[in-house]
Amino acid sequence: MYQSDHIREFPLLYRNFTPAQKPAVIPVILQSKEVQPVSKWSKIRSGLQDLFMEFCRHSTIHGISHIGSRQRSLFEKFWWAFVFLLSMYGCAKLIDDMYRKWDENPVLVAFDEKATPVWNIPFPAITICPETKIQKNHVNFTDLFMRYAHGDRQGLDRTELNILLASLQLCNEWFFVRPEYDRIYEYSNLSESIVKTLQRISLRLDDIIYHCRLHNVPCKPLFSETITEEGICMTFNGLSSEEMFHKDHLHSDYEYLSETKVSENWTLERGYSSAANLSSYPYRVLGSGYQAGIKVHLMTTKNDLEYHCRESQGFKVLLHAPSDYPQVASKFIRVTLNRDIAVAVKPQIISTEAALYDYEPVRRQCYFNRERQLKFFRVYSQPNCQLECLTNFTLLLCGCVPYWMPRSSQTRFCETYEIRCALGAQQKLMLLNARNQIQHQSDKRIKCDCLPACNSIQYDAEITQTMFNFKETIKLRLGPINITYQDIVDNKLLSKLEVYFKDVQFITSKRTEMYGLTDFVASCGGILGLCMGVSLLSLVELLYFSTIRPFMLVKRTVQRQQKVVQVVGQGKKFCYG
């Protein structure tokens, strides 16, 4: 039945409408007579299909228009759909690889853009430890040990026993690993602080340093006493005890550092402030080369040489950052007797840009000072953290710590018979750390977590040496003037140490982001554009056809239905009213 047939059945109704209303009445009349009700899901399916076809016609994404084209055969549509899915997979794979690379290695260590002059960093702290531990005029170590170890233990008075037990803690580990000496120390304990005993019998500053010059000025008074595993040593340019330690967590029996100068205008993370001048502490030099460095004449008295306690004689020298507590036994430069040692220093500085602060420390592989708080040390550095970890592990295994390790007032220092346990703890900790790193075997007893500091300074050294015939030099220069110098020639052994920067400028390293947000978005956009021709506007189109366009179509359909209902109502009014 045609439209005219339907209209003829309603002549009265059709004539009552105005010319403007008649086009809208015809579909209503047709629907009321012929069209069957359509299900809701059929309407939704039909609408989604029309929406998808419209998206395909207008989308800027490559290949979509071919999939929705009515002029393409079914085979062509399937072929373009396969190519489109393949491109999507390629994009997803490339973006996933890029994300994994950024997630696993987000930090890039590269050279800084500008060279740094040597006057912008502190001169290395220098800790000097003599291999000769005891003044012979105080005690004969060999005589005391032989009497103690071979049956005359009762003949030693309390002072001699304290000196012997304290001295043994400075000697080589040979005295603790030999089977015949395995248990002989268990019968004796120190009756006073070991540090007080060592301070009484050890070499003083005047016994170690004969002469020192820096900036053509005497620098011997700039050295201060430091307690290390090597006994009482002399340190130049290190931080004071107040700046190095949390004093409220530390015992008060003795001071580890005797330095009193304060570094008001320097920190490890920020360097020297704008208020710092050339005399600010820690000291810095004005250039590179021999003339700008420090020269130290080290001295040993022949009568003090003791080859029983230590088989090597001379000095151990450690170059370290001012904020690091010196651990001389772990790495040192050996200065032998009658030698001239020249040390050319090349600083290795790593800084970290502030943008990495939001990253997890495990991801950036370093700690900022405010992130990782140590119990005893104020300044976080990897050597300070490792020393504190060793202290905790030794306390766990042995119930005590050696005198040179930081400890609280509730922790006791190890007696001489417990030193073997402390030495074993160091070896065991190294083994556990190696298993953890290599074999991934974690141990609950070690929780060191000693990542490098995000801002750190290390001093690499290039060493040259030659013979130092000081006797002939002194005889020729000073002998004819003053006969008293003959004592130096006859009774002293001198060594010479020079430390200076190798270059006036050096290139520092810097941790930066491998991919920032801008770099990541740009890389993703490049991959999507290469494989699929997708741009930011393409994503906006997808968002538009997913949200705004369906909403507008639904709104238009509702308005059309309301208009039809209104027209039908008017038609009924004309017909029956």
Side-chain angles (χ1 to χ4, degrees), residues 120-134:
N120 281 354
I121 65 170
F123 196 70
I126 304 175
T127 298
I128 302 174
C129 300
E131 293 278 22
T132 303
K133 304 300 181 183
I134 307 167

Side-chain angles (χ1 to χ4, degrees), residues 7 11 33 69 121 134 262 301 342 355-356 362 411 441 542 545 571:
I7 295 173
K33 187 70 177 178
S69 175
I121 65 170
I134 307 167
V262 179
T301 303
L356 291 176
V362 177
T411 303
Q441 297 179 1
L542 186 62
F545 278 100

